[in-house]
């Protein structure tokens, strides 16, 4: 067992655990807006935004996706325009976005979907005949043209890198936080384990646990989140779209269907399917390390099954070329399993004053997180 020694130069105002979009954005916010001077961001990977913030569907949600969760739909309508305004260079807008409604097994009809979009104030209009012709009419009830964009996570990562540097946030890459404990005089002590070098203890006033699927994997006095989390190993296939589907994003709602979205970080499309994208799931608990579980997972692609089923609704997909798969652990709140809502998780831990666990759920929820941060702490 190693002996952990706190040293004077590592006494910090805040330690951010996790250099995904949330950890980076929170560190920048604390430095720029709240004037914190000594901030350390600890990231187990060798780069920023390398995990869920990269391996996702890249959709800047604009409400359409959530007919079963009015609150999430409504918050998306508020946050999406702000995200587009604040990260214009990272948002791809130059594609045509279609939502189609399946005739069978859909939890929503075309009429209900249109009404819902009007209720949340989201633009919707019937797609023109050339776009409708892409779909198999016996399986698709209606097709709508909507306004929804995609983000480029590599551009968000460049923004984060630049800003963190300018703000003077110290970044420890290739370093894992293993424990969070109460220290003397109201401080917190964060045990870190670098890939190379000796273990250390960082002492600080605040800890922001922004580790997404890793939220509950700390020892010490960390009590775990009170909110139940569900972990899912997911696969999204990366496809070279055929000419007929280039410049399009397509989602078929709402049930065991699929999405084909531009993935700007690679200039490809992701193909995801409600039935085949989730490979494996479990209820989160301390000791079952999701990163380890994914590392050990065999990763046998299900792209063939995805393409076969999607091809029934959208025949042109049969001409798409499979390039690669993105496997990642997706973390959702157990309570939203049935309505598919994506509220934020923001928990303070009374057992560890100054320590907060945060999960954004989707990228534009950053505004809800920063509002909560202000309300709870500042
Ligand atoms: C398959 C899939 C599809 C998705 N689709 C969308 C979508 O279309 N639109 C949308 O808005 N959102 C989507 N999401 C959700 C979105 O990806 C997440 O909400 C967002 O990326 C979470 O950011 P984060 O910073 O919390 O997590 P992450 O980016 O995962 O960052 C957490 C970081 O913490 C690090 N870490 C973990 N444990 C430790 C430790 N002990 N010590 C040090 N570092 C640690 C990890 O390495 C990681 O870099 C999707 C997610 C998945 C998985």
């Amino acid at each position: 067992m190693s002996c952990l020694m706190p040293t004077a130069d590592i006494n910090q105002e805040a330690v951010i655990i996790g250099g995904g979009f949330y950890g980076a954005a929170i560190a920048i916010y604390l430095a720029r807006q709240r004037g914190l001077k000594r901030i350390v961001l600890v990231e187990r990977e060798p780069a920023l935004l390398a995990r869920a913030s990269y391996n996702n569907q890249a959709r800047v949600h604009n409400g359409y996706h959530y007919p079963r969760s009015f609150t999430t739909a409504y918050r998306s309508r508020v946050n999406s325009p702000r995200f587009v305004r604040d990260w214009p260079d990272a948002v791809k807008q130059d594609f045509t976005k279609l939502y189609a409604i399946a005739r069978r097994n859909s939890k929503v009809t075309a009429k209900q979907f249109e009404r819902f979009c009007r209720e949340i104030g989201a633009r919707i209009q019937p797609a023109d005949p050339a776009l409708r012709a892409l779909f198999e009419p016996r399986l698709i009830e209606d097709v709508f043209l909507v306004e929804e964009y995609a983000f480029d996570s590599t551009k968000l990562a460049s923004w984060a890198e630049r800003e963190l540097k300018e703000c003077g946030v110290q970044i420890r890459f290739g370093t894992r936080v293993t424990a969070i404990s109460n220290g003397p005089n109201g401080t917190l002590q964060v045990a870190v384990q670098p890939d190379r070098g000796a273990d250390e203890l960082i002492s600080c006033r605040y800890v922001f646990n922004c580790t997404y699927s890793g939220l509950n994997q700390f020892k010490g006095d960390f009590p775990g989140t009170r909110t139940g989390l569900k972990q899912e190993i997911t696969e999204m296939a990366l496809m070279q779209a055929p000419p007929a589907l280039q410049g399009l994003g397509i989602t078929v709602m709402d049930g065991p269907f699929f999405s084909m979205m531009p993935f700007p970080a690679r200039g490809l499309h992701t193909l995801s399917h409600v039935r085949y994208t989730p490979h494996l799931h479990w209820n989160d608990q301390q000791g079952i390390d999701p990163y380890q579980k994914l590392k050990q997972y065999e990763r046998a692609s299900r792209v063939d099954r995805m393409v076969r089923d999607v091809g029934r609704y959208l025949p042109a997909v049969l001409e798409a070329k499979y390039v690669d798969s993105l496997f990642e652990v997706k973390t959702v709140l157990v309570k939203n399993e049935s309505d598919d809502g994506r509220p934020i998780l923001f928990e303070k831990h009374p057992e560890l004053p100054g320590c907060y666990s945060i999960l954004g759920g989707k990228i534009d929820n950053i505004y809800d997180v920063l509002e909560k941060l202000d309300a709870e702490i500042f």
Side-chain angles (χ1 to χ4, degrees):
M1 201 174 174
S2 57
C3 175
L4 300 173
M5 295 292 294
T7 58
D9 66 322
I10 51 176
N11 283 343
Q12 301 293 331
E13 279 182 271
V15 171
I16 317 288
I17 317 174
F21 179 70
Y22 276 87
I26 288 170
I28 292 161
Y29 177 80
L30 293 175
R32 286 229 189 272
Q33 310 296 328
R34 294 289 150 198
L36 268 63
K37 294 277 178 275
R38 296 183 317 282
I39 303 176
V40 176
L41 187 153
V42 185
E43 169 54 53
R44 57 185 280 159
E45 301 288 341
L48 296 169
L49 277 70
R51 298 303 308 241
S53 295
Y54 181 87
N55 297 314
N56 63 60
Q57 213 179 34
R59 189 194 305 263
V60 184
H61 280 280
N62 197 11
Y64 303 101
H65 214 68
Y66 299 108
R68 282 178 282 140
S69 176
F70 188 83
T71 314
T72 298
Y74 176 75
R75 290 310 304 166
S76 302
R77 294 286 304 131
V78 173
N79 289 334
S80 166
R82 296 170 82 183
F83 189 89
V84 174
R85 187 197 61 210
D86 290 346
W87 282 280
D89 299 341
V91 177
K92 180 179 169 61
Q93 302 191 23
D94 59 348
F95 66 98
T96 301
K97 179 68 208 190
L98 303 174
Y99 270 68
I101 308 297
R103 287 191 191 278
R104 283 194 292 275
N105 296 327
S106 180
K107 295 186 170 83
V108 67
T109 64
K111 274 218 155 32
Q112 288 167 338
F113 185 67
E114 261 188 298
R115 194 182 326 123
F116 157 75
C117 291
R118 284 206 201 92
E119 272 167 19
I120 61 167
R123 282 174 70 172
I124 180 164
Q125 65 186 78
D128 67 35
L131 293 169
R132 282 167 190 273
L134 290 168
F135 296 85
E136 168 52 63
R138 279 172 304 151
L139 296 181
I140 293 292
E141 184 193 347
D142 214 340
V143 184
F144 299 103
L145 182 65
V146 304
E147 201 168 74
E148 195 172 61
Y149 306 133
F151 60 87
D152 182 335
S153 62
T154 57
K155 294 201 171 141
L156 291 177
S158 305
W159 163 82
E161 211 171 298
R162 210 171 45 240
E163 287 284 308
L164 289 166
K165 195 169 174 196
E166 268 181 29
C167 297
V169 172
Q170 192 192 128
I171 309 181
R172 303 274 190 98
F173 285 120
T175 303
R176 208 158 62 84
V177 169
T178 53
I180 312 167
S181 305
N182 287 301
N185 307 320
T187 59
L188 290 164
Q189 301 214 311
V190 179
V192 301
Q193 198 174 66
D195 290 343
R196 284 185 212 93
D199 296 0
E200 279 175 38
L201 263 189
I202 305 178
S203 114
C204 57
R205 170 76 189 88
Y206 294 112
V207 171
F208 296 94
N209 172 17
C210 307
T211 54
Y212 192 64
S213 55
L215 279 185
N216 281 316
Q217 303 308 318
F218 303 105
K219 297 202 168 108
D221 298 325
F222 186 73
T225 57
R226 291 180 296 282
T227 311
L229 303 178
K230 181 185 167 197
Q231 307 282 21
E232 236 175 42
I233 290 184
T234 52
E235 176 190 7
M236 281 179 312
L238 283 174
M239 314 294 287
Q240 180 75 59
L245 299 179
Q246 277 168 17
L248 293 181
I250 292 169
T251 297
V252 177
M253 296 286 286
D254 173 11
F257 308 116
F258 63 90
S259 274
M260 192 163 181
M261 280 290 289
F263 189 70
R266 298 270 297 266
L268 296 166
H269 277 68
T270 51
L271 182 62
S272 62
H273 193 295
V274 169
R275 216 178 274 138
Y276 304 117
T277 287
H279 277 230
L280 183 73
H281 64 88
W282 67 97
N283 282 337
D284 188 47
Q285 55 181 282
Q286 206 175 50
I288 304 184
D289 179 349
Y291 295 101
Q292 205 51 34
K293 197 138 169 152
L294 178 59
K295 207 169 161 192
Q296 287 161 355
Y297 186 64
E298 52 170 7
R299 301 186 183 211
S301 176
R302 294 178 178 170
V303 65
D304 291 351
R305 278 182 269 177
M306 289 192 207
V307 169
R308 207 176 309 134
D309 191 57
V310 174
R312 298 192 303 125
Y313 298 85
L314 185 68
V317 90
L318 301 171
E319 308 302 320
K321 187 168 160 277
Y322 172 64
V323 178
D324 199 357
S325 284
L326 300 175
F327 280 91
E328 188 51 277
V329 180
K330 183 169 188 171
T331 307
V332 296
L333 311 191
V334 171
K335 66 181 180 201
N336 293 113
E337 259 186 295
S338 58
D339 69 2
D340 222 21
R342 291 284 178 273
I344 62 165
L345 175 152
F346 189 106
E347 284 192 14
K348 63 172 152 194
H349 302 290
E351 309 82 344
L352 270 173
C355 177
Y356 300 85
S357 291
I358 294 164
L359 183 136
K362 58 189 181 65
I363 213 89
D364 59 308
N365 279 353
I366 186 63
Y367 300 101
D368 294 350
V369 163
L370 296 182
E371 253 172 47
K372 190 86 177 152
L373 201 74
D374 262 350
E376 290 282 335
I377 308 173
F378 298 105

